[in-house]
């Protein structure tokens, strides 16, 4: 029984917290590197229409986005309540779409340019005339792959 003597019991050393700060900073840097922030700010209100059939966009990095809708409430005093076209972070006209598509094409690699898709995110109450004008301008600049944003029917 000499093996189980109570008086020779050793104390467990305390856990050191010196490496805790290293772990916290590694996690912080990991989340800072992997998190993507929104690139553009929505300046138009868009209520996406429903669709019975929809397909998910394969590569979102190859998409050029065109938002069409009424300006948000804080911008309605300046721009009115008519439907506007938003390219990146500013309101543009139909004639500016050609330059926008050319700039988006130039930002893609040579191999990815044929796969570039134009994503039109239009409000469900926008007149079809504006969307038709946008489509005509996209035809002029040879951007023929068009996708419309929609939500699944309930």
């Amino acid at each position: 029984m000499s093996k189980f003597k109570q008086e020779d019991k050793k104390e467990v050393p305390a856990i050191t917290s010196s490496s805790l700060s290293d772990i916290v900073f590694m996690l912080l840097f990991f989340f800072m590197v992997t998190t993507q922030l929104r690139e553009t700010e929505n300046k138009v209100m868009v209520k996406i229409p429903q669709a019975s059939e929809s397909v998910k966009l394969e590569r979102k990095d190859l998409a050029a986005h065109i938002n069409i809708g009424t300006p948000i409430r804080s911008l309605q005093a300046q721009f009115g309540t008519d439907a506007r076209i938003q390219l990146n972070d500013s309101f543009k006209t139909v004639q500016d779409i050609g330059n926008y598509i050319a700039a988006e094409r130039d930002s893609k690699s040579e191999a990815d340019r044929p796969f570039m898709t134009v994503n039109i995110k239009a409000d469900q109450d926008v007149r079809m005339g504006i969307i038709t004008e946008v489509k005509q301008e996209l035809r002029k600049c040879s951007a023929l792959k068009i996708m419309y944003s929609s939500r699944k029917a309930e």
Side-chain angles (χ1 to χ4, degrees):
M1 284 285 206
S2 65
K3 199 164 132 176
F4 298 108
K5 289 183 183 176
Q6 293 293 330
E7 60 235 20
D8 289 342
K9 191 172 186 182
K10 295 182 180 177
E11 289 187 23
V12 177
I15 297 174
T16 61
S17 61
S18 61
S19 64
L20 185 64
S21 62
D22 294 337
I23 294 170
V24 168
F25 281 115
M26 281 193 312
L27 285 172
L28 177 68
F29 288 133
F30 171 76
F31 287 114
M32 285 174 55
V33 169
T34 58
T35 303
Q36 290 183 349
L37 299 177
R38 183 177 294 195
E39 293 176 11
T40 60
E41 178 184 351
N42 287 337
K43 293 187 176 186
V44 293
M45 294 184 290
V46 177
K47 184 176 180 190
I48 300 174
Q50 292 183 353
S52 59
E53 299 290 325
S54 62
V55 177
K56 190 172 182 180
L57 187 61
E58 291 292 325
R59 291 186 58 190
K60 292 181 182 179
D61 60 327
L62 295 178
H65 300 282
I66 298 176
N67 296 333
I68 304 171
T70 57
I72 58 175
R73 295 200 189 281
S74 61
L75 297 174
Q76 283 182 358
Q78 183 179 2
F79 295 104
T81 57
D82 289 340
R84 302 292 301 245
I85 299 170
Q86 178 187 350
L87 305 174
N88 288 337
D89 275 339
S90 60
F91 292 122
K92 300 289 184 178
T93 62
V94 175
Q95 292 77 24
D96 296 328
I97 292 176
N99 293 334
Y100 172 70
I101 295 298
E104 287 291 318
R105 270 197 194 120
D106 291 341
S107 69
K108 310 288 187 243
S109 69
E110 190 72 33
D112 289 337
R113 287 180 188 171
F115 304 111
M116 189 177 108
T117 305
V118 177
N119 182 22
I120 297 178
K121 187 176 182 182
D123 189 59
Q124 67 183 9
D125 297 327
V126 169
R127 293 186 342 254
M128 194 62 194
I130 296 172
I131 296 173
T132 305
E133 290 174 4
V134 169
K135 285 173 45 179
Q136 293 294 332
E137 192 66 29
L138 290 172
R139 281 187 195 143
K140 288 179 187 175
C141 59
S142 298
L144 303 176
K145 291 178 91 175
I146 299 173
M147 184 173 209
Y148 297 97
S149 292
S150 65
R151 58 187 163 99
K152 289 197 175 201
E154 295 158 356

